[in-house]
Amino acid sequence: MTEGVARLAKGGRIDRARPLRFRFAGKLYIGYAGDTLASALLANGIHLVARSFKYHRPRGILTAGAEEPNALLRITRGDGRVDPNTRATTLPLFNDLDAAPQNCRPGLRFDLQAINGLLGPLFPAGFYYKTFMWPASFWKRFYEPRIRAAAGLGEAPRQPDPDRYLHRFAHCEVLIAGGGPAGIAAALAATRAGARVILAEEQPQFGGWLTGEGALRARIDGEAPDAWLEAALAELRAAGNCRLLPRTSVFGCYDHNLVGLLEDVADHKFAPAAGEPRHRLWKVRAARVVIATGMTERPLVFPANDRPGIMMAGAAATYLHRHAVLPGREIVIVTNNDSVYGLAGDFVAAGARVTLADARREIPDSIALPARNRGVELLPGTLPAGSEGRLRVRQIHLRSRDAGTTLPVPRACDLVLVSGGWSPNLALFAQARGELRWDAELAAFRPGPAHWPMCCAGGANGTRRLGEAIADGLRAGAAAAAAAGFEKPAPEPPSVEEGPAWTVEPLWCVPGCSSRERGEAFVDFQHDVTARDLGLALREGYESIEHVKRYTTTGMGTDQGKLGNLNALGIVAGEKGVPVPAVGVTTFRQPWTPVPFGALVGANRGPLFDPVRRTPMHAWAERAGAVFEDVGQWKRARYFPREGEDMQAAVQREAKAVRASCGMLDASTLGKIDIRGPDAAEFLNRVYTNSWAKLAVGACRYGLMLGEDGMVFDDGVTARLGEDHFHMTTTTGGAARVLAWLENWLQTEWPELRVWCTSVTEQWATMTVTGPKAREVLRPLVEDVDLGRDAFPHMTFRSGRVAGVPARIFRISFTGELSFEVNVPAGYGLHVWEALLEAGAPHGLTVYGTETMHLLRAEKGYIIVGQDTDGTVTPFDLGMGWIVSKKKGDFIGRRSLFRSGMRRSDRKQLVGLLTEDPALVLEEGAQIVEDPRQPLPMRMIGHVTSSYRSPNLGRSIALAMVRGGRERSGQRLWVPRLDGPAIPVEVTSPVFYDPEGTRLHV
Amino acid sequence: MRRYSIFTLARNALTGHRDWPRAWRSPEPRSRYRVVIVGGGGHGLATAYYLAKEHGIRDLAVLEKRWLGGGNTGRNTTIIRSNYLHDESAALYDHALRLWAGLSRELNFNVMYSDRGVMMLAHNPHDVQIFKRHIHANRLNGIDNEWLTPAEAKAYCPPLSIDRTARYPVAGAALQRRGGVARHDAVAWGYARAADSLGVDIIQNCEVTAIRREGDRVTGIETTRGSIAVEKLGIVVAGHSSILAEMAGFRLPIESYPLQALVSEPVKPIFPCVVMSNTVHAYISQSDKGDLVIGAGTDQYVSYSQRGGIQVIEHTLEAIVELFPIFSRMRMMRQWAGIVDVTPDRSPIIGRTPVRGLYINCGWGTGGFKATPGSGHLFAWTIARDEPHPVNAPFDLDRFASGRLIDEAAAAAVAH
């Protein structure tokens, strides 16, 4: 455990006073605050960190950013905090960080599956489509398990995640993605204009290029760029209308400038502090978005371009200047552009020997001389032609561009830096449907017209010089603020001294890289997609760039082609003999960098996964030992077991008690919609099948709602509280759907109707008092209402007071017994419930749950929408033709209801079933056949929808939907079982109990 | 067609794979074909293949406006099952499932059909009742589908949480062991290659801009690559069916909705099967590449936008993390959307249209991929014989006029 061998004694933006201990592959190392895991590894001389996806080739750290395809490690920080596929290049180092390589067995240095590399010739792109087909059963049993085991990268976590995640919503006028010079400039301009600004930067520090190589390459207003940077950041921090979000990745631009940001709150530490989330997901609605995401450097595609120790030049600049790491001492730089010339000299100054092989034949003196003067060996017109070194590059083959036949010359080295040019990062812009335009001078795509209110600035906009980037940012920020209503001229750009803009000569693929002689030339490093694979795909007719991508899997890795896609396009264009833009691009999708599921989920886990709705009497039911069931979001008491009772026993007791004396049910979950307006009755006429115009004030009516397809959609009792005022009830599960349905019709089809619907489900507590003694139970508590049989008949409602509380009492019944549904304001629910319990005690009042409710209504043949109906059932199928008005005119579903197929006599109809053996209870969902001995497939004529053991009838009963069922009354049918012989049943009326309904009218 | 096998792979390895032939030709469209299929997705390509192979029709072209398999074929979550409730649907999807089993060898293209089992979770008594109904009906239709207790479900899929204290605890599951997944792109490519080898012209980047009729008979089409006269025209374009029907002068009862999906970063094998939950709205499997493939419910609003949104994905991942808490730290790598064409009864339309010689195959909603071989097979029969196969006869366009619906949405019904 010593100071890293490759760490420079001074320089960089690390804090040498804060050493950090970390582990890689089980060994301890030291890094510093300010390091990333990647820079700390490199400082310790470690290049080899991973094995590739397909060939398990040794791989090193290739980049210093979000585009990293290779250095994906498994990070462990105690129980449950295990993260596979974590980019070492963007993970800040923290104390006790434990990183391990993935996808290699037994280890990184010797990986058995590297045999795939030797068998590589057998495994070109898409090889798996061409083989593994015989014998058929071997695919699942033999081939696929092996392919699966070889694929994948890290191991998924095995423990639940102990961390928290939070969401935050925000609005702003100007959101800026990227806190480099252009982003900061945009923020300055927009902030000065008075707009609310959010500036998000994925790295821990703002400044981008200025915090690395840029600090040496330019002077702003005559000073080092740090001065400008610090002043700008200080101004933004002090402004009050600018929020700076470091460590925050703008991962997605969604419709209408809804922008997703992932803030790393504690992921850069071993563990979050108490109460701290790991990530905060921001959902920002921005009037304007400025994309200042800079550029990404492209690799060069040459044979064996993937060995550890081969690195992007810009990444090496970051490691050298920001982290004071010298990743190699014998350096060869291969390039096709000017952007590396300054860096080459920097490495010489840091003590390395540097050879710069430039593919271009002519290098202007203005570029070449300063580099040569600093001791760089410059080889113009020179191409990389291969490399050697098993676990780390040890030599590179260089050859002259003009002498096509001469053999490449090996050159010893321990670091190869690659630069194939720079591409604007347009992923966010393209996610938002922004168009891309080819720029030949840049040899890359630039932003074209935007479709949403956004623009690009700085490198993302194709600027190549600092001064232009700052000016572009200032302009973009001022324009964005102005467009959002904060007009102020853009600030004067500072004067910037810097070199000329770099130029590039595109080189998508080094000539000769399509032969295997000197090794494969990789385009997509993570997926081991080679230039030859791309050629193969094209030869085989996979010509669309989408086909090339899908056939070869190029760009489908965790980096989503950030590094390799443009080279792939260039190679495809070359093979096809068309310009690059003619090839098109594959679709850019969210997210920019992978986002943990947990962060997207936020706090919506466990009990907060879906809101729990409880009735005002819930706590009482809990104390009473109720067993609850989920009905939609509601918790409903299903039954109230006493000591030693199971559900069956409890339900039998509850059901008997209701019919013998009296029972009480918490029915508060029933949907309730308050409907008002002069056209309310007309509206009900249109949404229900029956007529509502003549319903008297104070009366109730049962209604069926149909969908446009004529099928039963919901049901419930609606009361007329006043001429223009109704109280509608719906099923518990259907409440929200019905309200949305009503609103949809009112708002889109019948805007002329003067009707207003308000959900009042939670405003009323509802308790059903039912049974022959219901009146006696209720009477002592009721003021102002005559409960008498004739004064308060069935299907009417009265307002009054119950237990001193204003109440609406509905005399309606779902049990077939004398019933009162008492509705009181929810806050009084428990009070009235307890008063009723007390008043009912002398009468043997029994509280019952939904299961008993289901049983009691089944005894009466009352349907439950959603249980006895399933969206394919008409009122006629239910034997409820009486509820379909023939006179009133149109209603929703009417046209469908009278189609020919809807009146066929062989439609399934609601019937009762009685098993021949009264002790047998049918299984709900079981099918019904005429002959159980027929071979499969059997002809099924119906199914059991509801089935119970009825204590009041002393036997089992069932409801069923049976083809032509009403004609089959008395027929013997069969119900096959999964585990036993079929059960013979007799078709009956669905009303088993009190068919005359005398008990309703007592 | 030069056959694919381990031997040809080895032989081509010796020559650096330079000699592989094109998987399909790229011909210029001719001015006349006996049959043209519009839509180069899995269903359209399968239709062409079976027309050529089983009905001897080789004077045939498939037109695709962009690239083969670029619509829902390339965007779906590849779930294959046949445990549908209604007799007609079960017969339809099982017809497809039986073809899946031998498809790789039939096409000489490995479509990686993997019968890993599709498990559908029940979360409340209502779900249990519905799944039991499916299981009973499937069994009597000769289709495998079995009930699992929560413990059995967990044994089949170890990452599943069966915690009784969960917001919506798992109450059991229905498992179809023959269900599974396949490699979606390969299905399109395999059919394209096999159809091409039988003489079918597969023409990409060719968009139909008009449909010509004489009286009530179709006579030809206009495309971005010229006019084509046809005797018969088959339309298999999923989300854009209504647009093509309008060109031909009739209307379809179709609404198009975005359906979103996402994949995680790839990991080593962790998830052995397919799990679906309608109640909490999520489905998930793991691809051969290692990504967790996760699908959401359809968006709330009609749209032709093939983009993902954030709130639908959040809701889906909430369900995934609730069911599989170990996946909380997994990361979303990519999200997208497809456009699903939804009929009023959520069952497809495969059959003749009011225009003679014009046939339509659409309305597969969220479930089209699993039907690909069967859909193509039946549609080819319907086009070749100008009458539906008995299996697809119930799925005609007329049913929306007659009301003889096959409502699979009803299978999910509503909570009481």
Side-chain angles (χ1 to χ4, degrees), chain B residues 219-240:
Chain B
T219 57
I221 49 177
E222 302 297 328
T223 78
T224 49
R225 295 173 68 178
S227 304
I228 300 174
V230 300
E231 271 175 50
K232 293 183 174 183
L233 184 65
I235 296 177
V236 204
V237 297
H240 291 73

Side-chain angles (χ1 to χ4, degrees), chain A residues 889-908:
Chain A
D890 205 7
F891 56 85
I892 298 169
R894 183 173 185 276
R895 178 172 162 277
S896 297
L897 194 55
F898 291 97
R899 289 176 296 186
S900 60
M902 304 286 271
R903 305 299 295 270
R904 289 197 327 237
S905 58
D906 67 340
R907 286 186 60 84
K908 283 186 178 180

Side-chain angles (χ1 to χ4, degrees), chain A residues 726-739:
Chain A
F726 292 83
H727 173 98
M728 174 186 280
T729 64
T730 73
T731 58
T732 296
R737 193 169 47 237
V738 170
L739 183 65

Side-chain angles (χ1 to χ4, degrees), chain A residues 381-399:
Chain A
T382 304
L383 297 171
S387 73
E388 305 291 337
R390 193 172 81 85
L391 300 178
R392 167 121 184 228
V393 67
R394 61 182 165 73
Q395 63 183 25
I396 181 162
H397 302 284
L398 298 175
R399 71 173 174 79

